[in-house]
């Protein structure tokens, strides 16, 4: 490793305080590999996500947002498992080592890491097309992880927050007069970590909405050997989204737009009051949008012809 790479890591990524506070971390940045001793009774939950400039985010996105988003999307995968994120590694491929860009990228990335108390414990730095690959690891009490395959017949389907905003934000990204709240929703997603942890004890299945509700609910349906029935009129759409798009477009984004990183989960109807209480506690909207029934696939009820046609044209069948 050349001195400049060493300096780059030291200056932008090696946060000693964060690493010393990391539960289970024996050795962090500086050796050939990090050493971790998971706390007794905990399972390690591991996820990796790669973001390529021009593919997973606009190539001209601000560096701070790129840093923030690259970590947030990974944290969302752990949230969907009900895990507490603990540490992460960063494989960073850069076209050039531009100090200004690196400072901003680091402020977004490490700012979120500090806010969530998650340590960067190692990585790799290479030259090439801008690509950020982050592997995040977290803990969950043994046997308590939320999985996609646990939904039961008759379970209700819930979703956190609101859907479709990130897709609207991305669509308006190039327009300077587009809604800043929607753009921010795409660039700075919030991983629902506290929600995931709270769901461990009674949710039967969970997934984060990264590819769009219909597609992601399809994974729960398939893995759980059931059908997901969704009520179109129940999909939570924010007032910002409704103001930015006509009703058909807003609903289409809510059903199929990606990048919202809300959690979609299933729970027995007997837990409705627990969902209500949790919503109050976290100050986060939790909406019942449907039910798991016998069968397979995802069925949407209450679609008008216009949206149905648009969805069919976009490749969504079986409504
Ligand atoms: P090696 O050549 O043994 O793979 P490197 O010289 O690439 O190790 O890296 C030296 C140390 O710096 C290692 O502990 C590695 O995990 C860490 N590191 C390298 N790149 C990054 C990065 N982008 N972010 C955080 N740590 C990094
Ligand atoms: Mg080595």
């Amino acid at each position: 490793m050349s001195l400049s790479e060493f300096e780059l890591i030291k200056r932008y990524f090696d946060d000693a305080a964060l690493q010393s506070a990391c539960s289970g971390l024996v050795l962090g940045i500086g050796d050939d590999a990090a050493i971790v001793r998971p706390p007794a009774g905990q399972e390690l939950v591991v996820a990796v996500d790669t973001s390529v400039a021009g593919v997973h985010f606009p190539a001209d996105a601000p560096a701070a947002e790129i840093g923030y988003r690259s970590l947030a999307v990974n944290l969302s995968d752990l949230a969907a498992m009900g895990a507490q994120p603990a540490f992460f590694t960063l494989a960073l491929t850069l076209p050039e080592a531009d100090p200004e860009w690196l400072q901003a990228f680091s402020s977004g990335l490490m700012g979120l890491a500090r806010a969530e108390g998650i340590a960067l414990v190692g990585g790799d730095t290479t030259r090439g097309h801008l690509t950020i690959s982050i592997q995040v690891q977290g803990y969950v009490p043994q046997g308590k992880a939320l999985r996609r395959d646990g939904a039961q017949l008759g379970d209700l389907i819930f979703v956190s927050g609101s859907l479709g905003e990130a897709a609207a934000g991305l669509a308006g990204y190039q327009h300077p007069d587009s809604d800043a709240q929607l753009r921010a929703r795409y660039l700075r997603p919030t991983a629902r970590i506290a929600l995931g942890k709270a769901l461990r004890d009674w949710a039967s299945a969970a997934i984060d909405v990264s590819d769009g509700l219909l597609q992601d609910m399809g994974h729960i349906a398939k893995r759980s050997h059931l059908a997901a029935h969704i009520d179109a009129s129940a999909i939570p759409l924010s007032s910002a989204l409704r103001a930015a798009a006509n009703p058909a477009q807003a609903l289409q984004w809510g059903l199929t737009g990606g990048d919202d990183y809300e959690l979609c989960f299933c729970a027995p109807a007997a837990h409705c009051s627990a969902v209500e209480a949790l919503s109050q506690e976290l100050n986060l909207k939790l909406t019942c949008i449907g039910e798991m029934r016998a069968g397979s696939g995802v069925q949407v009820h209450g679609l008008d012809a216009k949206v149905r046609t648009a969805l069919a044209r976009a490749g969504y069948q079986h409504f």
Side-chain angles (χ1 to χ4, degrees):
M1 187 173 76
S2 75
L3 183 65
S4 64
E5 278 173 36
F6 177 78
E7 275 178 343
L8 184 153
I9 293 158
K10 197 83 207 143
R11 186 175 307 165
Y12 301 112
F13 301 116
D14 190 355
D15 185 324
L18 206 48
Q19 290 174 83
S20 63
C22 177
S23 158
L25 184 68
V26 179
L27 185 65
I29 292 178
D31 213 307
D32 291 312
I35 305 176
V36 176
R37 189 183 305 141
Q42 304 280 313
E43 286 173 334
L44 204 53
V45 181
V46 182
V48 64
D49 246 307
T50 297
S51 304
V52 179
V55 179
H56 301 100
F57 57 87
D60 63 347
E65 324 299 319
I66 296 172
Y68 187 101
R69 191 171 189 283
S70 303
L71 180 56
V73 302
N74 275 278
L75 298 180
S76 177
D77 278 326
L78 288 208
M81 300 300 290
Q84 170 62 54
F87 52 91
F88 67 105
T89 53
L90 165 69
L92 184 58
T93 305
L94 295 169
E96 54 174 344
D98 171 0
E100 208 175 303
W101 191 94
L102 276 161
Q103 182 56 52
F105 175 81
S106 166
S107 75
L109 177 85
M110 299 307 287
L112 176 58
R114 285 180 203 112
E116 296 291 353
I118 298 154
L120 177 54
V121 303
D124 190 29
T125 310
T126 51
R127 197 175 284 266
H129 184 73
L130 178 60
T131 303
I132 301 111
S133 193
I134 288 180
Q135 187 193 53
V136 67
Q137 315 215 8
Y139 302 122
V140 69
Q142 232 166 57
K144 288 284 191 186
L146 297 167
R147 301 163 50 138
R148 296 177 179 183
D149 61 4
Q152 303 293 312
L153 188 65
D155 277 356
L156 298 180
I157 304 166
F158 298 87
V159 72
S160 63
S162 61
L163 295 174
E165 282 194 324
L170 181 59
Y173 181 77
Q174 303 297 352
H175 302 284
D177 59 343
S178 69
D179 187 298
Q181 177 185 328
L182 297 178
R183 267 206 317 276
R185 184 66 200 269
Y186 171 77
L187 289 170
R188 290 199 169 232
T190 302
R192 301 297 189 190
I193 298 168
L195 173 61
K197 284 162 63 184
L199 292 175
R200 297 197 276 228
D201 287 325
W202 45 265
S204 56
I207 193 167
D208 66 325
V209 182
S210 54
D211 295 329
L213 177 72
L214 296 186
Q215 191 165 325
D216 290 320
M217 259 324 288
H219 295 308
I220 288 189
K222 187 160 194 198
R223 298 293 295 266
S224 298
H225 305 289
L226 290 168
H229 285 250
I230 288 171
D231 174 6
S233 66
I235 302 299
L237 305 174
S238 71
S239 45
L241 176 60
R242 288 175 194 276
N246 67 57
Q249 175 69 81
L251 179 58
Q252 199 184 335
W253 271 328
L255 288 167
T256 64
D259 302 307
D260 286 313
Y261 297 99
E262 295 294 352
L263 291 191
C264 190
F265 59 96
C266 299
H271 284 86
C272 275
S273 54
V275 174
E276 185 67 33
L278 186 57
S279 168
Q280 298 277 331
E281 186 192 324
L282 299 177
N283 191 24
L284 175 63
K285 196 160 72 164
L286 299 176
T287 309
C288 180
I289 58 166
E291 188 188 358
M292 301 304 292
R293 299 188 195 160
S296 64
V298 181
Q299 301 269 328
V300 185
H301 300 263
L303 282 181
D304 66 33
K306 196 169 168 188
V307 179
R308 188 177 295 270
T309 307
L311 288 180
R313 211 177 291 134
Y316 294 89
Q317 304 295 339
H318 315 302
F319 301 113

